[in-house]
Amino acid sequence: MIGKRSIALAYRAIRDGIVNGVSSVLGRLRSPHQIIRAAPAGQVELGGRIVLFLHFDSGGRVREALYDYISQLAASGRSVVFITNSGRLDPVAEARVAALCACVVIRRNIGYDFGGWRDVIEHFDLPRPDTQEIIIVNDSVFG
């Protein structure tokens, strides 16, 4: 015969295991740090005028029109940080974007656009003493 104490201990062990597992998943979802990788790694030289360009495409692709948009932002003397919430980028797209931008940041799509901008602001410790402007944009609104 199993005693009440044994049942209570088993119940607590199961409950604690479930709670710890769920807490682990929820903690990751709520974490403000969703960056998978940034390239180049380490310290990135950014000028005083910075554009945080947020992108999403479920397949990790970049629409052709966006290359011109990013190119024009960079040609205006701004350091463009390309942030994708796609969790990955097509290798060809990543190479093309990297050629235009100061940095490419790949992150999970937790927190959507605002989460991406927040992650990068924290990652690069922005604004820096020499920062004159930070423009936040995304890939769905441009003229």
Side-chain angles (χ1 to χ4, degrees), residues 42-122:
Q43 185 68 18
V44 174
E45 188 67 34
L46 297 175
R49 298 169 30 180
I50 301 164
V51 175
L52 304 181
F53 188 98
L54 208 297
H55 161 268
F56 177 80
D57 179 89
S58 61
R61 297 172 298 271
V62 176
R63 294 187 319 270
E64 196 62 37
L66 296 182
Y67 296 111
D68 186 49
Y69 182 15
I70 295 165
S71 177
Q72 294 298 317
L73 290 168
S76 73
R78 292 171 171 86
S79 299
V80 180
V81 177
F82 183 89
I83 310 152
T84 184
N85 277 347
S86 301
R88 62 190 170 90
L89 272 179
D90 172 82
V92 172
E94 185 172 351
R96 286 183 70 186
V97 167
L100 300 171
C101 298
C103 186
V104 175
V105 176
I106 299 174
R107 68 181 300 278
R108 294 175 196 86
N109 193 21
I110 306 294
Y112 304 106
D113 291 7
F114 289 96
W117 291 319
R118 181 206 53 226
D119 270 3
V120 170
I121 287 169
E122 289 178 1

